[in-house]
Amino acid sequence: MATDIIRVEGMSCEHCVKAVTQAVGVLPGVTEATVDLEAGTVAVSYDPAQSSLDNIESAIDEQGYEVIH
Amino acid sequence: MATDIIRVEGMSCEHCVKAVTQAVGVLPGVTEATVDLEAGTVAVSYDPAQSSLDNIESAIDEQGYEVIH
């Protein structure tokens, strides 16, 4: 199990929190996705054998938010 | 038919636009609801015989946004 903190730009309200949490939460192997709106971060716990960090970041990107590297 | 411009605080993203547009758009007699995110306004066209301005403002309030008078 891996846990990563992803920095995300553009999350501004509780609707954004829900959109990102749901998009990441449905990915295979993801056991937890927690958005910190003030910090602009998403903490994700996942099984790297089932979802890669790239997959997770793509799911966030597809919701219209920018992942910061 | 009446058209009013309602000032609303707290709409910050496209999800907010959607939430407010839908909540107002389903009210009886409302023919158009257009959110201007930058201006923080909702323009509403409606039949005052079917929905009052009070009803419309309540619907916005129920979505978690503050109507400014």
Side-chain angles (χ1 to χ4, degrees):
Chain A
M1 195 63 62
T3 298
D4 280 301
I5 308 288
I6 302 168
R7 289 180 57 213
V8 179
E9 199 164 277
M11 300 186 299
S12 55
C13 72
E14 289 304 322
H15 295 112
C16 297
V17 170
K18 198 171 162 186
V20 170
T21 305
Q22 286 185 344
V24 173
V26 298
L27 297 176
V30 171
T31 55
E32 200 172 349
T34 307
V35 173
D36 183 327
L37 198 52
E38 270 195 39
T41 57
V42 186
V44 188
S45 297
Y46 61 103
D47 177 356
Q50 294 185 69
S51 277
S52 67
L53 185 55
D54 266 5
N55 292 152
I56 294 165
E57 292 184 347
S58 292
I60 296 169
D61 185 75
E62 276 165 22
Q63 293 299 312
Y65 304 97
E66 193 183 354
V67 174
I68 300 171
H69 292 109
Chain B
M1 196 64 63
T3 298
D4 280 302
I5 308 287
I6 302 167
R7 291 180 58 212
V8 179
E9 199 164 276
M11 300 186 298
S12 56
C13 72
E14 289 305 321
H15 296 111
C16 297
V17 171
K18 198 172 163 186
V20 170
T21 305
Q22 286 184 345
V24 173
V26 297
L27 297 176
V30 171
T31 55
E32 201 173 348
T34 308
V35 174
D36 183 327
L37 197 53
E38 270 195 38
T41 57
V42 187
V44 188
S45 297
Y46 61 103
D47 177 356
Q50 294 186 68
S51 277
S52 67
L53 185 55
D54 266 7
N55 292 153
I56 294 165
E57 292 184 348
S58 292
I60 296 169
D61 184 75
E62 277 165 22
Q63 292 300 311
Y65 304 98
E66 193 184 351
V67 173
I68 301 170
H69 292 108

